[in-house]
Amino acid sequence: MKKEITIYDLAEKLNISATTVSRGLQNHPAINKNTKKKIFDLAKELGYQSNKFASNLRKQKTHTIGVIVPRLNSLFMSSVLSGIEKVVNNAGYNLIISQSFEQEEKEKKNALTMFNNRVDALIVSLSYDSSDFSHFNNFINKEIPIIFFDRVTDSLPATKVVIDNFKAGYDATMHLIEQNCKSIMHITGNLTRNVYKDRYEGYRKALADRNIPFSEDLFITNDLSEQEIYNAVTHNILKRKQLPDGLFATNDSAAAYALMLFKEAGLRVPEDIAIVGFNNDFISKVTEPAITTINYPGNEMGENVARILINHLDGEGDLSVTSTVILNSELIVRGSSLKK
Amino acid sequence: MKKEITIYDLAEKLNISATTVSRGLQNHPAINKNTKKKIFDLAKELGYQSNKFASNLRKQKTHTIGVIVPRLNSLFMSSVLSGIEKVVNNAGYNLIISQSFEQEEKEKKNALTMFNNRVDALIVSLSYDSSDFSHFNNFINKEIPIIFFDRVTDSLPATKVVIDNFKAGYDATMHLIEQNCKSIMHITGNLTRNVYKDRYEGYRKALADRNIPFSEDLFITNDLSEQEIYNAVTHNILKRKQLPDGLFATNDSAAAYALMLFKEAGLRVPEDIAIVGFNNDFISKVTEPAITTINYPGNEMGENVARILINHLDGEGDLSVTSTVILNSELIVRGSSLKK
DNA sequence: AATATTATTGCAATCGGTTGCAGTAATTTT
DNA sequence: AAAATTACTGCAACCGATTGCAATAATATT
């Protein structure tokens, strides 16, 4: 292990104090231009790297932002992260990213890790079934800002960035109705999660607006895993005497998988059953037919989240003011729903 | 901002020294059992949290491992990460994950960030076009272990965990040959990257073994973006007088997209053109027909990487000994290639 | 030329744990 | 009962950067 170069080494070599070196490196206005130059030059020459631990310890600030998301493996999530990272990096902050794998237990663990790592702020999209939020109390007590996106909760006093899931659900359903669907199923996740609840309510509202009675029978919630989608389609939908003629699935993977299973069972899409998904993941483009879906502005969402947070941290904005930001989403019509 | 509780607070309340508190919390054998109990109880009661910065500063060890991957949005990558995280967490280490977005420039930045954050070790899968590896010199000079997986390089003295891409490429191609394909295209990435190079060589070997001449004309490399795949298929493949009857694509997204474009152009898969992908991503299951692919043991790869690393860090293994670990992969035959 | 102002720099304490070494008390050995 | 071990505990230095305050040098003002 080679020895580290510290500001003391620089100071000694330049015959000045460590104080001056420290200030010089931070571009402190009181330090002479020439001195600064000498410091920077030597620092570069020796490959000096500031020791963050010493700095953080002293400053009681880490310049690190924690992110907890359910999973990383979707186009949507990686777009969000990409947006967050861009903004946050430009502002000179670091990111620690972790996944809850959709489990409350893991989310709690991650939150604790973040807390121990003294993140300056936390960005969260909740796991599938988190219902107890006590793991965020640490942060709230210490007044460390938390900002939620997409999967949010109203139980905590925190800023939220979301799309209008109600409207998206409404649009998706209305589109199916306009394609002449009479019996529209909806497969979605746990209704305690805002995104699913809101989409569901949009679905109900669209039905109601067109006087189509809602039927419990056409509504399925599960954990959206491959297995559960399989079960829902083969053991439930395909076993019916009266098959539905429309399906609104709450994500594109589910829609794509259902589409495949329908075709395997000999159904025609969209003639026999029209399908709308959600997210505009790449997968929705390569099925046959391609899947009508809701485009979700991941990048924009990420950038918004990060920008609000940075403004707050830099003292230029106030999180408590902007309490909910709603972004636009849009229906993208493709073959899976176009009965023409 | 509430004040932090430190070992000094605990020490004062218990009328013992901070030294004893520190040792007690670390379960140091020299500390009396009762004293330890008192310390732990009070720590718990007051919600004490160790300050990592102070600790890291003193110990010169962070218990943090950095991970740099090209992208997070594939099933393969998230499986790998999941595997890494599991092992690493159990060993009491933290993870910092970052994406290079397939760009050398970003990879360099990420590496520097990791270095400044004083990670104890680095796990890397190279970006698409990294060819200069000087950003890893910092680590090598300081003897911070680096371990590569999947996208690796022979230019650096580091342990690597990979699959046998040569064999996988060979198997994929041989499978197409056995389906009676005579004119097999191969679309892949930059040949400076080991994974693509090895698959390509497997492809060539399979052709050679069956006396099929290799034709430059049937071989395309590009950056594997949606746009480039589109270009390759529509402006190149579909413009030919003599269409190929087999396609071996280096990932499932490309295979799925090509499949869709072929069908749009009126070709039948697999009758007119048989397709084999790579990775066994979810997308390969939902196309029509489903795509024959190579199953890549992501989880296993992640666990292996992490385990080797942890053993090394804990002083029980030596990275320089195990220099390359090769995992098994397997061909999964589906409809896209089965001419029967 | 004496005084005030501004520009630079450095001293020393501080952030919160960790650890080598020494010290004291308790227990064992001879 | 004296000597040797063993069991605990604490002192004080240290990790490397930051910062309030004081000090000195340089320049401006009257």
Side-chain angles (χ1 to χ4, degrees):
Chain A
M1 179 86 111
K2 250 174 62 180
K3 67 180 185 319
E4 300 278 349
I5 289 164
T6 70
I7 51 171
Y8 300 101
D9 298 326
L10 299 183
E12 196 184 353
K13 283 228 165 54
L14 292 171
N15 262 315
I16 56 181
S17 76
T19 303
T20 302
V21 174
S22 174
R23 291 205 175 100
L25 291 170
Q26 296 172 78
N27 235 318
H28 189 110
I31 304 297
N32 185 287
K33 258 209 269 180
N34 298 323
T35 314
K36 275 185 196 167
K37 178 147 178 20
K38 271 191 264 174
I39 295 171
F40 277 118
D41 288 350
L42 184 65
K44 184 150 193 188
E45 185 191 329
L46 300 185
Y48 166 81
Q49 295 294 345
S50 159
N51 184 315
K52 296 234 162 137
F53 302 117
S55 171
N56 290 341
L57 173 59
R58 179 60 225 242
K59 293 202 291 195
Q60 303 284 32
K61 211 177 179 253
T62 63
H63 268 261
T64 296
I65 292 173
V67 181
I68 303 177
V69 297
R71 279 190 189 278
L72 294 165
N73 60 346
S74 74
L75 183 62
F76 168 66
M77 265 310 159
S78 55
S79 309
V80 173
L81 284 181
S82 168
I84 291 177
E85 198 190 35
K86 187 174 137 200
V87 173
V88 147
N89 260 8
N90 284 340
Y93 283 79
N94 286 138
L95 273 190
I96 303 185
I97 300 169
S98 74
Q99 311 182 64
S100 62
F101 293 99
E102 300 283 12
Q103 293 155 33
E104 180 170 330
E105 219 33 62
K106 196 89 177 54
E107 187 176 287
K108 284 183 188 299
K109 262 185 152 182
N110 289 342
L112 184 58
T113 301
M114 297 289 179
F115 186 72
N116 287 341
N117 275 305
R118 304 287 203 281
V119 294
D120 286 346
L122 193 61
I123 296 175
V124 181
S125 186
L126 292 165
S127 88
Y128 181 77
D129 62 355
S130 295
S131 55
D132 166 57
F133 304 114
S134 56
H135 43 307
F136 298 119
N137 289 343
N138 279 335
F139 296 89
I140 293 171
N141 290 339
K142 261 186 66 184
E143 288 173 30
I144 297 170
I146 304 182
I147 182 165
F148 290 93
F149 72 90
D150 195 42
R151 309 255 203 95
V152 307
T153 176
D154 286 325
S155 315
L156 294 175
T159 296
K160 305 178 259 292
V161 177
V162 292
I163 60 163
D164 189 339
N165 283 287
F166 176 85
K167 178 173 173 299
Y170 184 92
D171 291 351
T173 309
M174 192 52 85
H175 169 71
L176 286 171
I177 295 174
E178 280 164 359
Q179 295 300 309
N180 225 5
C181 293
K182 308 290 185 202
S183 167
I184 302 172
M185 294 207 63
H186 181 34
I187 297 186
T188 196
N190 190 325
L191 292 188
T192 57
R193 194 76 308 127
N194 65 301
V195 291
Y196 305 125
K197 175 126 178 294
D198 295 350
R199 288 170 201 177
Y200 164 71
E201 285 172 355
Y203 162 77
R204 299 265 325 230
K205 183 65 164 46
L207 294 180
D209 280 2
R210 292 303 177 90
N211 292 315
I212 300 176
F214 165 75
S215 155
E216 279 291 351
D217 195 46
L218 292 173
F219 176 61
I220 299 178
T221 65
N222 60 40
D223 68 7
L224 305 173
S225 64
E226 201 178 322
Q227 186 60 50
E228 286 292 306
I229 298 298
Y230 179 84
N231 289 342
V233 172
T234 56
H235 300 332
N236 180 334
I237 304 180
L238 293 175
K239 289 271 166 70
R240 296 163 188 243
K241 275 173 293 207
Q242 180 75 47
L243 290 176
D245 58 5
L247 167 64
F248 167 33
T250 205
N251 71 46
D252 286 335
S253 304
Y257 198 32
L259 167 59
M260 187 201 77
L261 294 169
F262 288 155
K263 288 196 301 181
E264 257 181 27
L267 296 177
R268 292 166 307 158
V269 176
E271 294 81 357
D272 296 327
I273 182 164
I275 300 180
V276 176
F278 212 106
N279 280 7
N280 195 22
D281 274 346
F282 182 67
I283 201 171
S284 66
K285 291 194 199 173
V286 296
T287 53
E288 162 87 51
I291 297 172
T292 295
T293 189
I294 300 284
N295 188 41
Y296 221 105
N299 233 289
E300 201 183 327
M301 192 174 273
E303 289 185 19
N304 264 279
V305 166
R307 209 153 12 232
I308 292 170
L309 198 52
I310 299 287
N311 280 343
H312 176 79
L313 289 174
D314 290 353
E316 288 162 23
D318 188 353
L319 273 184
S320 55
V321 176
T322 351
S323 86
T324 299
V325 176
I326 296 175
L327 302 176
N328 279 323
S329 58
E330 51 177 347
L331 183 74
I332 295 182
V333 177
R334 300 205 182 100
S336 73
S337 67
L338 259 196
K339 297 199 179 182
K340 213 160 339 112
Chain B
M1 180 87 108
K2 252 173 57 179
K3 67 180 185 320
E4 301 277 348
I5 290 165
T6 69
I7 51 171
Y8 299 100
D9 298 326
L10 300 183
E12 196 182 354
K13 283 227 166 54
L14 293 171
N15 263 315
I16 54 179
S17 75
T19 302
T20 302
V21 174
S22 173
R23 291 205 176 102
L25 291 169
Q26 295 172 79
N27 236 315
H28 189 111
I31 304 297
N32 185 285
K33 259 210 265 178
N34 298 322
T35 314
K36 275 184 196 168
K37 178 149 180 16
K38 273 192 263 174
I39 295 171
F40 277 118
D41 288 350
L42 185 64
K44 183 149 196 191
E45 186 191 328
L46 300 184
Y48 165 83
Q49 295 292 347
S50 159
N51 184 316
K52 297 233 163 142
F53 302 117
S55 170
N56 289 341
L57 173 59
R58 180 60 225 241
K59 293 202 291 194
Q60 304 283 31
K61 205 174 184 257
T62 62
H63 268 261
T64 297
I65 292 172
V67 181
I68 303 177
V69 297
R71 280 191 190 278
L72 294 166
N73 60 345
S74 73
L75 182 62
F76 169 64
M77 265 311 160
S78 54
S79 308
V80 173
L81 283 181
S82 170
I84 291 177
E85 198 190 35
K86 188 174 135 201
V87 173
V88 148
N89 260 9
N90 284 340
Y93 283 79
N94 286 137
L95 273 190
I96 303 185
I97 300 169
S98 75
Q99 313 182 62
S100 62
F101 293 99
E102 301 283 13
Q103 294 155 31
E104 179 170 330
E105 220 31 65
K106 196 88 176 54
E107 186 176 288
K108 284 183 189 298
K109 263 185 153 181
N110 289 342
L112 185 58
T113 301
M114 297 289 179
F115 186 72
N116 287 342
N117 276 304
R118 305 288 202 281
V119 294
D120 287 345
L122 193 61
I123 296 174
V124 181
S125 186
L126 292 165
S127 89
Y128 182 76
D129 61 356
S130 296
S131 54
D132 166 57
F133 304 112
S134 56
H135 43 308
F136 297 120
N137 288 343
N138 280 335
F139 295 89
I140 294 172
N141 290 339
K142 262 186 66 184
E143 288 173 29
I144 297 170
I146 304 182
I147 182 165
F148 290 93
F149 72 91
D150 196 41
R151 307 252 202 98
V152 306
T153 177
D154 286 326
S155 316
L156 294 175
T159 296
K160 305 177 259 292
V161 178
V162 293
I163 60 162
D164 188 339
N165 284 287
F166 175 85
K167 177 173 174 301
Y170 183 91
D171 290 350
T173 309
M174 192 52 84
H175 169 70
L176 286 171
I177 295 173
E178 280 165 358
Q179 295 301 309
N180 224 5
C181 294
K182 308 290 186 200
S183 167
I184 301 172
M185 293 206 63
H186 182 32
I187 297 186
T188 196
N190 190 325
L191 292 189
T192 56
R193 194 77 308 126
N194 65 301
V195 290
Y196 305 126
K197 175 129 178 293
D198 294 350
R199 289 170 202 176
Y200 164 71
E201 286 173 353
Y203 162 77
R204 299 266 323 232
K205 183 66 165 47
L207 293 181
D209 279 1
R210 293 304 176 91
N211 293 314
I212 301 176
F214 166 74
S215 155
E216 278 291 351
D217 195 45
L218 293 173
F219 176 61
I220 299 178
T221 65
N222 60 40
D223 69 7
L224 305 174
S225 64
E226 200 177 321
Q227 185 60 49
E228 286 292 306
I229 298 298
Y230 179 84
N231 289 341
V233 172
T234 57
H235 300 332
N236 180 334
I237 304 180
L238 293 174
K239 289 273 165 65
R240 294 161 189 245
K241 274 173 293 202
Q242 179 76 46
L243 289 177
D245 58 5
L247 167 64
F248 167 33
T250 204
N251 71 44
D252 286 335
S253 304
Y257 198 31
L259 167 59
M260 188 201 78
L261 294 169
F262 288 154
K263 288 195 302 181
E264 257 181 29
L267 295 178
R268 293 166 306 158
V269 177
E271 293 80 358
D272 295 329
I273 182 164
I275 300 180
V276 176
F278 213 106
N279 279 8
N280 194 22
D281 274 346
F282 183 66
I283 202 171
S284 66
K285 290 193 201 174
V286 296
T287 52
E288 162 87 53
I291 297 172
T292 295
T293 189
I294 300 284
N295 188 40
Y296 220 104
N299 234 289
E300 200 183 328
M301 192 174 274
E303 289 185 20
N304 265 279
V305 167
R307 208 154 10 230
I308 292 170
L309 199 51
I310 299 287
N311 280 343
H312 177 79
L313 289 174
D314 290 354
E316 289 163 20
D318 189 352
L319 273 184
S320 55
V321 176
T322 351
S323 86
T324 299
V325 176
I326 296 176
L327 302 177
N328 278 323
S329 58
E330 51 177 347
L331 183 74
I332 296 183
V333 178
R334 299 203 183 103
S336 73
S337 67
L338 258 197
K339 299 198 178 181
K340 208 148 355 98

